[in-house]
Amino acid sequence: MALVSDEIIAGFRTHFRSDVTPDVYRAPGRVNLIGEHTDYNLGFVFPIALEMACFVAIAPAGHGKLRAYSRDMGDEFRISVEELPNAKPAGKWHDYVVGVARELARAGVKLESRDLWIKSTVPAGSGLSSSAALEIGTAVALLDSREMNRLDIALLGQRAESGFVGMPCGIMDQYASVFGHAGAAIQIDCRSLTHEYVPLPRNAAIVAVNSMVKHELGTSAYRERVAECQAAVAAIRAIEPCVESLRDASLDLFNRVQNRIPDVPRRRARHVISETQRVIDFAAAARANDLGEMGRLFLASHRSMQHDYEITCEEIDFLVDTAITLPGVYGARMTGGGFGGCTVNLIAPDAANSFRENLTRAYQDKFGITPAFYDCKPAEGAGRA
Ligand code: GLA
């Protein structure tokens, strides 16, 4: 990371002060391999942290404020340290920074005046978790070398996003950014908040393809899905009172009671319950080096999101439907919250070039858009860059 750090330090010095050497922190984005919309239903997810990350350079300042500059937005923001506990969201990028600072202050961390210079290599709006990278990058930078339990850092980032920014997200993105591990995927149990590292087969590449579209349904559709899952739990509880979340419902139970659940919550529940099982099956297939089965589960997950959870879109379905016809492709699916962003593809490494060329041509012909491709290798979680 030395080169990146030098660039971040140079950016800080040019923008703020040339006579200081800031500390540089890094928090990664993530690509979720399988287990979509299962986190807030307390099921399993299976992301990898990425080399693409948010970098934060930080140094003490004497002006009594937190001053943050976003290189990507070309915008500076400041807030006095005393105002932090009662800060209000502004609907801007710095809500993530202020939300995290507010949570740290509420957790009893004494914040002092600082300058932060921020630059992210995680493409925004791509479903690769640029928001969590910014939250966790801000958290580790503001903590500086002060100790905080790593799970608490992830939870604090999630609280900033749900309680301050206003997106009622699950824990996956922040957890992955904190606990990422080079060389392995993270199977997270979102009920017990524990994880296991699962090494991935070496003879396959993971490629994310950015559709370059993001339909603005995002937050409202996410909220709706959360509510529909709660409605499904209520309907199942009326028959099986021990079910407190969709995690508690097996596929057998679901099949027995599904006729008593209204249509939309029933399909949402079918996605979540089957997807949680797919995570378990995917981890077993990864351990057994069974790329065929991993690919099959990718596609089953996509179809479930397409038809039952209804969070895909035309561009994303096209990228998946085209990818699976190409040589060397084991499977493809949308990744992340939905309505655009990226697909994730499991492919034979020597097929990477033809995959890229064929998919680019087909997508350009159909939508006039050039997709972006990212090679995804599991990277370490947040810390000093
Ligand atoms: C967003 C949320 C996550 C998760 C995914 C869908 O990324 O932030 O908590 O719910 O969508 O799997």
Side-chain angles (χ1 to χ4, degrees), residues 291-374:
L291 290 166
E293 175 67 357
M294 291 168 77
R296 190 193 68 74
L297 290 162
F298 256 37
L299 194 58
S301 167
H302 186 79
R303 296 296 177 228
S304 178
M305 290 191 286
Q306 183 179 2
H307 302 302
D308 275 348
Y309 223 61
E310 296 178 295
I311 51 167
T312 67
C313 60
E314 199 192 349
E315 295 87 349
I316 286 282
D317 291 336
F318 180 85
L319 283 174
V320 166
D321 290 336
T322 308
I324 56 171
T325 66
L326 298 176
V329 175
Y330 297 105
R333 59 182 290 281
M334 187 187 74
T335 185
F339 305 101
C342 283
T343 63
V344 57
N345 303 263
L346 189 67
I347 70 176
D350 59 5
N353 288 340
S354 67
F355 171 75
R356 189 186 277 245
E357 282 164 21
N358 287 321
L359 203 54
T360 300
R361 198 173 321 115
Y363 196 60
Q364 279 173 340
D365 285 353
K366 174 86 177 168
F367 295 104
I369 304 173
T370 304
F373 292 76
Y374 315 112

Side-chain angles (χ1 to χ4, degrees), residues 72-355:
D72 307 305
M73 307 300 293
D75 187 36
E76 189 182 287
F77 169 79
R78 51 185 87 187
I79 182 168
S80 81
V81 173
E82 289 78 53
E83 279 173 53
L84 277 172
N86 300 312
K88 299 273 175 300
K92 301 233 172 90
W93 67 271
H94 40 78
D95 284 353
Y96 296 98
V97 175
V98 176
V100 165
R102 188 182 76 150
E103 286 302 326
L104 283 169
R106 288 184 170 180
V109 175
K110 188 164 163 17
L111 295 177
E112 280 159 12
S113 179
R114 292 283 183 277
D115 285 331
L116 288 80
W117 191 91
I118 303 169
K119 175 182 162 63
S120 185
T121 56
V122 188
S126 61
L128 301 180
S129 204
S130 55
S131 317
L134 175 54
E135 288 151 12
I136 300 302
T138 303
V140 290
L142 288 177
L143 279 166
D144 227 332
S145 297
R146 285 175 288 191
E147 283 294 309
M148 181 179 264
N149 174 298
R150 290 186 71 80
L151 178 58
D152 287 339
I153 298 177
L155 288 166
L156 181 148
Q158 183 199 19
R159 281 203 304 279
E161 184 150 349
S162 58
F164 194 76
V165 178
M167 158 75 176
C169 63
I171 188 63
M172 167 167 67
D173 304 348
Q174 294 80 9
Y175 199 112
S177 189
V178 168
F179 287 99
H181 191 42
I186 323 161
Q187 183 178 343
I188 307 167
D189 180 334
C190 300
R191 182 162 61 186
S192 63
L193 296 178
T194 54
H195 63 274
E196 233 178 284
Y197 293 118
V198 180
L200 296 169
R202 287 173 179 277
N203 50 342
I206 295 164
V207 180
V209 180
N210 193 341
S211 66
M212 312 303 273
V213 298
K214 182 76 197 163
H215 298 289
E216 285 310 326
L217 282 165
T219 308
S220 63
Y222 193 94
R223 252 174 229 292
E224 250 169 57
R225 297 300 180 282
V226 173
E228 288 158 355
C229 290
Q230 284 160 354
V233 170
I236 299 173
R237 265 177 85 86
I239 310 161
E240 286 288 341
C242 59
V243 171
E244 283 174 9
S245 71
L246 289 178
R247 167 66 180 276
D248 300 323
S250 64
L251 270 174
D252 281 351
L253 170 62
F254 173 78
N255 287 332
R256 257 193 296 121
V257 302
Q258 59 165 313
N259 294 340
R260 314 263 293 273
I261 313 174
D263 179 54
V264 172
R266 177 170 52 76
R267 288 186 293 117
R268 305 302 188 241
R270 184 165 59 200
H271 165 73
V272 171
I273 297 168
S274 62
E275 184 79 350
T276 285
Q277 184 59 46
R278 277 189 289 272
V279 176
I280 298 167
D281 296 345
F282 190 85
R287 287 198 163 95
N289 217 359
D290 188 346
L291 290 166
E293 175 67 357
M294 291 168 77
R296 190 193 68 74
L297 290 162
F298 256 37
L299 194 58
S301 167
H302 186 79
R303 296 296 177 228
S304 178
M305 290 191 286
Q306 183 179 2
H307 302 302
D308 275 348
Y309 223 61
E310 296 178 295
I311 51 167
T312 67
C313 60
E314 199 192 349
E315 295 87 349
I316 286 282
D317 291 336
F318 180 85
L319 283 174
V320 166
D321 290 336
T322 308
I324 56 171
T325 66
L326 298 176
V329 175
Y330 297 105
R333 59 182 290 281
M334 187 187 74
T335 185
F339 305 101
C342 283
T343 63
V344 57
N345 303 263
L346 189 67
I347 70 176
D350 59 5
N353 288 340
S354 67
F355 171 75

